[in-house]
């Protein structure tokens, strides 16, 4: 994520909290994130990890893609590969490309993701209950924990599910896992 995008994200996170009338302590309690981390994040002093954004999105009741779309300029109908926003969480080995950015008037979007070998990302709850996912693995493999079950998903496989609780993406390796995620709002 570029510096300008990170600055807009920091500002949007502060706006969301203010719109709800929450103090930093309120948000810290709802998201399970320390007050100091939230303060530094809103001031743009630190970059968020995927897990941190996941917690905040859950607290705000919105998918991560919608939050990221809110800080992007209005997307055109045709999004050239070079213009597709890419976000990297180097700490966890996760890269996310918004192939078909979300739009307020549409319910679906397409995301391409790469999860490096050994990466393990857990989300405590979905940002929106009942969020529909279609996960299609293009290369490598994933272990996806959802709904109390763990699914081994290999190249060419597609897993359909709705998120009602925690989820966990693990790449047991040895290669990077590249996959497409189609997300549909309920």
């Amino acid at each position: 994520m570029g510096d300008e995008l990170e600055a807009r994200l920091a500002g949007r996170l502060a706006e969301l909290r203010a719109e709800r009338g929450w103090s930093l302590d309120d948000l810290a309690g709802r998201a399970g994130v320390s007050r100091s981390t939230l303060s530094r994040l809103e001031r743009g002093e630190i970059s968020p990890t995927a897990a941190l954004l996941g917690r905040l999105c859950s607290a705000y009741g919105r998918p991560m893609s919608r939050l990221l779309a809110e800080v992007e300029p209005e997307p055109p109908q045709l999004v050239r590969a070079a213009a597709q926003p890419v976000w990297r969480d180097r700490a966890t080995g996760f890269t996310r490309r918004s192939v078909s950015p979300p739009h307020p008037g549409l319910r679906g979007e397409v995301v391409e993701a790469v999860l490096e070998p050994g990466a393990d990302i857990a989300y405590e709850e979905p940002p929106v209950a009942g969020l529909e996912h279609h996960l299609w693995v293009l290369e490598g493999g994933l272990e996806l924990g959802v709904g109390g079950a763990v699914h081994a998903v290999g190249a060419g496989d597609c897993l359909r599910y709705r998120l009602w609780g925690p989820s966990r993406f693990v790449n047991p390796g040895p290669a990077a896992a590249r996959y497409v995620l189609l997300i549909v709002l309920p």
Side-chain angles (χ1 to χ4, degrees):
M1 203 166 12
D3 290 342
E4 185 179 326
L5 183 59
E6 284 194 11
R8 287 196 308 259
L9 178 59
R12 182 61 184 139
L13 290 170
E15 288 172 2
L16 285 169
R17 186 175 55 78
E19 287 169 7
R20 285 159 177 75
W22 295 346
S23 68
L24 284 171
D25 288 327
D26 293 334
L27 180 56
R30 292 171 190 270
V33 177
S34 76
R35 182 186 189 286
S36 63
T37 297
L38 293 171
S39 176
R40 293 182 66 212
L41 180 62
E42 288 183 5
R43 290 193 314 264
E45 295 175 1
I46 61 171
S47 296
T49 63
L52 175 56
L53 278 182
R55 287 174 175 234
L56 292 173
C57 286
S58 292
Y60 290 129
R62 62 185 357 101
M64 187 183 307
S65 53
R66 294 285 168 176
L67 173 64
L68 294 175
E70 290 172 4
V71 298
E72 286 289 327
E74 185 72 23
Q77 275 190 302
L78 174 62
V79 183
R80 302 281 182 201
Q84 295 167 358
V86 176
W87 180 73
R88 288 181 178 83
D89 179 357
R90 285 173 176 62
T92 60
F94 177 62
T95 301
R96 180 185 197 286
R97 174 184 300 277
S98 190
V99 176
S100 172
H103 185 277
L106 303 173
R107 292 181 36 224
E109 66 186 275
V110 179
V111 172
E112 176 190 26
V114 175
L115 200 58
E116 295 299 325
D120 184 340
I121 302 174
Y123 300 97
E124 293 181 15
E125 59 184 309
V128 176
L131 194 63
E132 182 180 346
H133 283 187
H134 300 256
L135 184 140
W136 178 31
V137 176
L138 302 175
E139 299 171 8
L142 291 172
E143 292 176 358
L144 180 61
V146 63
V150 176
H151 305 274
V153 189
D157 296 344
C158 183
L159 177 65
R160 256 189 328 206
Y161 57 95
R162 285 190 181 265
L163 279 176
W164 298 101
S167 60
R168 183 174 179 190
F169 292 72
V170 177
N171 179 353
R178 186 171 148 253
Y179 58 96
V180 172
L181 191 60
L182 172 63
I183 302 169
V184 183
L185 290 171

